[in-house]
Amino acid sequence: MLWVKAFHIIFVASWFAGLFYLPRIFVNVAMVTPGSVAERERLLLMARKLLRFTTMLAVPALGLGLWLWLGWGFAGGWLHAKLAVVLLVIGYHHSCAVLLRKLADNTCHKSHRWFRFYNEVPVLLLIAAVVLVVVKPF
């Protein structure tokens, strides 16, 4: 089970690395000056590739987390809260995919400042998840 836990942590850290950087690319897309088609397309290509890779990292992270939950039978309020955080992370990941699609279609008109705040959400979710798992406050 320690191997499962180790790989779960590795995949979660990698997944979050992608979730930290993807919105940063969105900031750069939002800052592209009109007419800079090549720069915009390069950033969108980077974002698409990162989203695909991040999604591939999320699958084993979630699968290994499920294995840990079912294999060790964790219980308690902290686990319910952590599972809620996991659902929020999945939702955030999905919202990144939706925003990327809108940016590619040129239908997203959010400012670079909005994306800067949006970029901080996974940091808060990671803090919440780690505190719940390590401290188990309830």
Side-chain angles (χ1 to χ4, degrees):
M1 242 359 162
L2 291 177
W3 283 100
V4 174
K5 187 186 282 188
F7 280 103
H8 173 65
I9 292 168
I10 291 165
F11 280 108
V12 167
S14 302
W15 179 21
F16 269 91
L19 291 180
F20 291 155
Y21 190 60
L22 186 58
R24 185 64 205 163
I25 296 174
F26 296 167
V27 169
N28 292 323
V29 171
M31 292 177 67
V32 170
T33 56
S36 298
V37 178
E39 180 184 7
R40 187 174 191 285
E41 289 304 314
R42 183 174 22 86
L43 288 167
L44 289 171
L45 177 65
M46 288 171 55
R48 281 188 205 100
K49 288 182 176 189
L50 182 59
L51 178 65
R52 189 176 317 121
F53 186 65
T54 302
T55 302
M56 290 183 342
L57 293 166
V59 172
L62 293 168
L64 291 167
L66 186 63
W67 187 355
L68 285 169
W69 179 27
L70 298 175
W72 279 355
F74 290 123
W78 69 270
L79 181 61
H80 296 101
K82 191 218 177 216
L83 291 175
V85 170
V86 170
L87 289 176
L88 289 172
V89 174
I90 293 168
Y92 183 84
H93 186 121
H94 176 71
S95 73
C96 284
V98 170
L99 284 168
L100 177 56
R101 212 170 308 123
K102 287 181 177 183
L103 284 167
D105 295 341
N106 214 10
T107 58
C108 181
H109 303 292
K110 300 196 181 301
S111 70
H112 67 91
R113 283 198 173 116
W114 186 90
F115 282 115
R116 287 177 197 278
F117 285 106
Y118 180 76
N119 190 36
E120 301 307 320
V121 173
V123 174
L124 299 174
L125 293 172
L126 181 61
I127 291 168
V130 169
V131 167
L132 287 167
V133 170
V134 174
V135 178
K136 295 178 180 62
F138 45 89

